[in-house]
Amino acid sequence: QMAPRLPPLPALRDFIHLYNLRAKKILSQNFLMDMNITRKIVRSAGVREGDWVCEVGPGPGGITRGILEAGPERVDVIEIDHRFIPALQHLSEASEGRLHVHRADVLKTCVGEIWSKDGMVSTTHWLDEALPPAHVIGNLPFNIASPLIIKYLREMSNRVGPWSFGRVPLTLTFQMEVARRLCSPIDCDARSRISIMAQMYSQPKLVFTIPGACFVPPPKIDVGVVRFLPLPVPKASSPFEVVEKLVRQVFHYRQKHILKGLKTLYPEDIANDMAHEVLRETRASPTTTSIRLGVEEYAAMAAVYEKQCNEVPGLFLYDYSKKKVTLSSLCSLPNAIPPPYAFKHCSAIPAEGIRLNQFPE
């Protein structure tokens, strides 16, 4: 059975005039007006006939058109800006009931819940080679893209939200500098906290670059399209929050030795011993820097830090910028020890320790 074709629609530019839509500078919006590029994003995402797609931040619906043309069974779009709703409803009517419009904030919306309500059933196991016939795609304002990728990586790590249906691929646009960071290899200037978090749970790939001139209004920078493929076995065996906290503190002093960042995880009186325990157990060099550690080494350090947090209640909540809040006042709080991680695999630290990579991954 052929995928239903879209009836003739006004050209995207006319459509935007028809609905009197302007990209708001205040929302840092940039629209993609070139249908060749929106189709290329959809192809890169791997959308096939009969798939389910959730698009976050569709705006006037340029990428949405490309998605509908690929013939998916159902498309859900999540848009917060009321000005775009009529234009998206127009597309919905043209799509013969395949497109469903949700006016909501992507940072507060669970894609998995939308799919469950719509009756999606999980057809693949997490470890299957085959990916589920579902996709999350988005071209969001840059100020939303960074918190959103952290939310999605957290959900991916816990296999909740869209990832309760298996290893659903995620395709998002970022300003080029962030796209490079997400995909950065070891010992590279672009390497950052977000490189480690993205590569801990997924395989991010910069699929192509969109020149800024293709957007309306054109940003002064180019845009990278990144596709994240969830890893069958994440590199970390500790809860997301533990990994994130450890990685954040090590990168806090990105040019300095990792020992300096590690010590900020602990109150001063125990910092030296605790930080050295992490280094000793993972055999990491105290004088290496944050960008020269591999993702596996961060995972191993997080495993030791998690063990310390379980042995010292309150340590997990300790914040070195609030030195007056002591462990004794934190240890009786409800989340004084980190939550258990449901997908722990075998010990993250091999018996012989970890050799520091001398070469890029």
Side-chain angles (χ1 to χ4, degrees), residues 144-202:
I144 307 287
S146 294
L148 188 71
I149 188 57
I150 291 293
K151 167 183 155 76
Y152 282 168
L153 290 167
R154 183 183 294 113
E155 290 180 1
M156 209 181 272
S157 81
N158 293 316
R159 303 183 197 176
V160 296
W163 293 281
S164 58
F165 294 94
R167 293 190 303 120
V168 171
L170 170 67
T171 306
L172 298 174
T173 59
F174 297 91
Q175 50 200 67
M176 204 54 210
E177 176 197 351
V178 178
R180 287 212 177 91
R181 271 188 222 151
L182 285 160
C183 304
S184 171
I186 196 167
D187 207 8
C188 174
D189 281 345
R191 186 81 153 179
S192 65
R193 174 178 76 101
I194 206 161
S195 334
I196 306 299
M197 297 311 292
Q199 294 166 41
M200 194 68 79
Y201 301 102
S202 74

Side-chain angles (χ1 to χ4, degrees), residues 29-208:
Q29 287 171 333
N30 303 91
F31 303 155
L32 257 181
M33 295 305 231
D34 183 333
M35 281 304 295
N36 292 322
I37 291 176
T38 66
R39 289 181 184 115
K40 190 172 175 185
I41 290 174
V42 176
R43 275 200 307 277
S44 306
V47 178
R48 295 198 178 86
E49 225 165 276
D51 286 358
W52 285 43
V53 182
C54 183
E55 185 192 356
V56 290
I63 297 175
T64 320
R65 290 183 177 206
I67 293 170
L68 287 165
E69 285 175 0
E73 184 181 322
R74 184 182 171 110
V75 181
D76 289 276
V77 295
I78 302 170
E79 176 55 65
I80 197 168
D81 191 331
H82 67 96
R83 298 170 311 136
F84 298 128
I85 303 297
L88 293 166
Q89 294 292 9
H90 181 146
L91 273 184
S92 177
E93 282 153 29
S95 76
E96 297 177 359
R98 290 182 297 146
L99 174 62
H100 302 259
V101 181
H102 307 265
R103 186 172 169 209
D105 178 346
V106 293
L107 289 169
K108 296 182 184 142
T109 306
C110 176
V111 174
E113 275 174 23
I114 292 175
W115 283 348
S116 297
K117 282 195 188 108
D118 295 345
M120 190 201 278
V121 282
S122 189
T123 52
T124 60
H125 186 267
W126 186 268
L127 294 170
D128 287 355
E129 193 92 337
L131 297 174
H135 310 267
V136 178
I137 298 175
N139 164 44
L140 286 148
F142 300 142
N143 57 338
I144 307 287
S146 294
L148 188 71
I149 188 57
I150 291 293
K151 167 183 155 76
Y152 282 168
L153 290 167
R154 183 183 294 113
E155 290 180 1
M156 209 181 272
S157 81
N158 293 316
R159 303 183 197 176
V160 296
W163 293 281
S164 58
F165 294 94
R167 293 190 303 120
V168 171
L170 170 67
T171 306
L172 298 174
T173 59
F174 297 91
Q175 50 200 67
M176 204 54 210
E177 176 197 351
V178 178
R180 287 212 177 91
R181 271 188 222 151
L182 285 160
C183 304
S184 171
I186 196 167
D187 207 8
C188 174
D189 281 345
R191 186 81 153 179
S192 65
R193 174 178 76 101
I194 206 161
S195 334
I196 306 299
M197 297 311 292
Q199 294 166 41
M200 194 68 79
Y201 301 102
S202 74
Q203 209 178 347
K205 184 175 179 225
L206 179 59
V207 276
F208 68 102

